[in-house]
Amino acid sequence: MTQLGGFDPASGRNAHRAGAPTLIPVPSLLRSLLSEHLDAGYAAAAQTPRGRTDWLWQLVAAALVAAVFALAWSQARATAPGVRESQQVLVTSVRAAEAATDELTARRTSLTADADALRRSRLAGDATGRQLLSDLDQAAFAAAATPVIGPGLTVTVTDPGVTRDLTDVSKQRVEGSRQVILDRDLQLVVNSLWLAGAEAISVGGVRIGPNVTIRQAGGGILVDNQPISSPYAVVAVGPPHAMADAFDRSSGLQRLRLLESSYGVRVTVAAGDGLTLPAGSVRDLTFAKGLP
C-alpha cells in the first residue's frame, strides 16, 4: 500500500517492514497546495477586524448625504419666497401688457373705421371716386383687411390629449406634450380649403392673409404671432356645397383622417351660414414693386 502525503527517509532502501505503507517523497510546494487552501496574505486579511471599520465608513457616507439634502432643502426654502414674488411680478407685467395691447387694438380699429368712413364720404361723390372705392375694397379684401360674413365650412380639429409617441415620415410628434396637431397639419388644411374655393379663411379666430404665417413654437402654434390652442377651428367663407365636395377629396382632409385613426384626433367638418371672419392685421409697406 502506498500512501501520499509524507516523506520517509528510509524510502527506497532494501530493508523495510512487511505490511508497512510505502511513503513517496512529496515536494513541499505540492504538499502546501494540497493541505493549505488559503494564501497566507488572504488569511491574515481575513483575520483583521474590518467589520467595525466598514460600518463607520457607511455611517460617515450616510451623514454626508443627509447633510447635502438638508442644505439643498434649506436653500430651496430660503429662495422660495423670492421665486414666488418674481412669478407674481411677471404675471402682473404680462397682464398689464395684454391690457395695453387690447386697448391699443381697440383704438386702432376705431380710428381705422373713422378714416374709412371719411374716405368714402369724400370719394362717393363722383364716378371716378366710386371706381376708386371699388378698387380699394377689392384690394382690402385681397389683403384680408376687412371683416367677412357669409356661408362656408368650419373644420374643427381637437387634440386627443396624452398619446403614444408615434412618428411619421416627415416629422416627429411633440414628445412629452399633449399636442398632436402640428403647424404643418393646419397649413395643409388651409391650403386645401383655398384650393376648394374658399374666399376668406381664419384659423383660431385669426384671419389668414398675405404675410400671415402658421408656425410651431415649442409645444404651441402661432398664427400671425398669436397663440392658438386646441380645439383648432378653421373657418372658410365660400360656396359651402362646392367647397365640401372638393375638400372631401383633398389631401388636407385625408391627413386629418389619418391622424384621427392613428392618434385619436377628433375631426368635424360642418357647413353653416353667417360665418364671421375678423379683419386681419394691416402692415405698413416698406418696399413694393409693380408687376411688369
Side-chain angles (χ1 to χ4, degrees), residues 120 122-137:
R120 288 184 177 277
R122 295 292 182 89
L123 295 178
D126 53 41
T128 304
R130 288 191 293 271
Q131 181 61 41
L132 181 58
L133 282 176
S134 177
D135 295 340
L136 288 175
D137 289 340

Side-chain angles (χ1 to χ4, degrees), residues 46-161:
Q47 295 177 359
T48 304
R50 296 179 56 86
R52 182 177 180 84
T53 303
D54 293 340
W55 180 81
L56 289 176
W57 279 113
Q58 293 176 0
L59 182 62
V60 171
L64 289 175
V65 172
V68 170
F69 276 103
L71 180 60
W73 179 76
S74 62
Q75 289 180 349
R77 286 195 59 186
T79 58
V83 172
R84 286 194 296 267
E85 183 177 356
S86 299
Q87 291 176 345
Q88 292 296 330
V89 171
L90 290 175
V91 169
T92 303
S93 300
V94 170
R95 290 176 178 173
E98 289 177 347
T101 301
D102 293 340
E103 182 180 356
L104 292 174
T105 301
R107 179 172 175 77
R108 182 197 64 184
T109 302
S110 177
L111 293 175
T112 301
D114 294 342
D116 183 68
L118 181 60
R119 179 176 58 195
R120 288 184 177 277
S121 65
R122 295 292 182 89
L123 295 178
D126 53 41
T128 304
R130 288 191 293 271
Q131 181 61 41
L132 181 58
L133 282 176
S134 177
D135 295 340
L136 288 175
D137 289 340
Q138 292 180 5
F141 181 79
T146 56
V148 175
I149 300 176
L153 294 180
T154 300
V155 182
T156 305
V157 186
T158 306
D159 271 322

Side-chain angles (χ1 to χ4, degrees), residues 2-8 22-27 30-32 34-35:
T2 302
Q3 182 176 350
L4 187 67
F7 176 74
D8 185 8
T22 302
L23 299 179
I24 300 176
V26 179
L30 181 59
R31 184 169 56 250
S32 64
L34 295 174
S35 59

